């Protein structure tokens, strides 16, 4: 049975970390990692392997759930386990197909900012989120390292069809 491997990488910063130096530090961080078990977590009877990296200032930043044992929903993405499709949903639209997850792997990236209230202060928390995903027949720790992504999705808004 194929296994879905999902890897998330979150880079977070506030306004005080927007200088060229901080930007270069963030840009020098990888956009894919080896998938080690643990810390990667198996779920749904080994149908899904979730590997999370990066910043999480508030804790539990990347939320996920399994819908009716067929859809793995993580952050803004929905992956159909039986159909092997990856969809993206904006706040204003229905889910849109990004890719059929065939032989290769897909990388999705977006930037965002969120209002945070912490310690009596309110500020913007900026983020760069990367999601790598693929289906494999057997676990391979180097699945994202040995080849380039088949598809790289970076358009947050998605054009109308």
């Amino acid at each position: 049975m194929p296994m879905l491997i999902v890897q998330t990488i979150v880079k977070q910063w506030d306004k005080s970390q927007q200088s060229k130096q901080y930007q270069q530090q963030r840009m020098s961080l990888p956009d894919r990692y080896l998938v080690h078990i643990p810390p990667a977590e198996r779920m749904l009877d080994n149908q899904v392997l979730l590997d999370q990296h990066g910043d999480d200032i508030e804790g539990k930043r990347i939320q996920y759930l399994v819908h009716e044992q067929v859809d793995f929903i993580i952050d803004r993405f929905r992956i159909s386990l039986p159909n092997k499709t990856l969809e993206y949903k904006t706040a204003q639209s229905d889910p849109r197909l990004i890719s059929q997850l065939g032989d290769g792997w897909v990388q999705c990236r977006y930037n965002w900012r969120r209002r945070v209230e912490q310690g009596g202060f309110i500020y913007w928390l900026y983020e760069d989120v990367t999601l790598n995903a693929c289906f494999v027949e057997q676990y391979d720790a180097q699945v994202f390292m040995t080849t380039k992504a088949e598809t790289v999705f970076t358009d947050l808004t998605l054009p109308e069809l």
Side-chain angles (χ1 to χ4, degrees):
M1 176 188 318
M3 175 193 300
L4 169 64
I5 299 178
V6 176
Q7 183 177 76
T8 62
I9 304 159
V10 179
K11 301 171 190 170
Q12 295 179 324
W13 65 96
D14 63 32
K15 191 174 183 175
S16 70
Q17 298 167 319
Q18 290 184 326
S19 71
K20 198 78 149 167
Q21 174 191 357
Y22 283 110
Q23 287 176 354
Q24 289 174 341
Q25 286 175 353
R26 284 190 298 276
M27 289 175 56
S28 70
L29 296 172
D31 63 355
R32 54 189 165 156
Y33 291 89
L34 290 171
V35 180
H36 293 291
I37 304 172
E41 151 183 20
R42 294 180 189 264
M43 51 185 70
L44 202 63
D45 294 327
N46 291 326
Q47 289 185 68
V48 178
L49 182 63
L50 178 59
D51 186 36
Q52 299 186 68
H53 298 269
D55 302 322
D56 193 358
I57 292 171
E58 297 175 289
K60 301 272 186 194
R61 165 55 189 92
I62 300 292
Q63 301 291 314
Y64 61 88
L65 64 98
V66 177
H67 179 69
E68 296 182 4
Q69 303 294 314
V70 296
D71 289 334
F72 184 73
I73 301 168
I74 183 163
D75 202 32
R76 298 171 185 190
F77 302 94
R78 178 172 63 189
I79 302 169
S80 169
L81 300 176
N83 299 331
K84 297 183 180 177
T85 56
L86 173 66
E87 296 175 323
Y88 175 80
K89 183 182 179 335
T90 67
Q92 299 84 19
S93 72
D94 291 330
R96 297 281 182 89
L97 180 67
I98 293 173
S99 179
Q100 290 286 135
L101 293 170
D103 295 330
W105 59 279
V106 174
Q107 183 176 78
C108 304
R109 296 185 71 161
Y110 66 89
N111 292 300
W112 198 250
R113 70 176 186 181
R114 295 183 302 114
R115 181 177 181 245
V116 174
E117 295 182 38
Q118 192 174 42
F121 295 97
I122 299 172
Y123 65 94
W124 287 111
L125 182 63
Y126 299 89
E127 340 184 274
D128 179 279
V129 178
T130 301
L131 179 131
N132 300 322
C134 68
F135 280 91
V136 296
E137 289 301 320
Q138 63 184 28
Y139 166 73
D140 177 5
Q142 296 188 34
V143 68
F144 300 120
M145 304 304 288
T146 55
T147 61
K148 290 188 176 191
E150 185 177 291
T151 302
V152 177
F153 170 76
T154 58
D155 184 2
L156 180 64
T157 58
L158 291 174
E160 293 298 320
L161 296 177

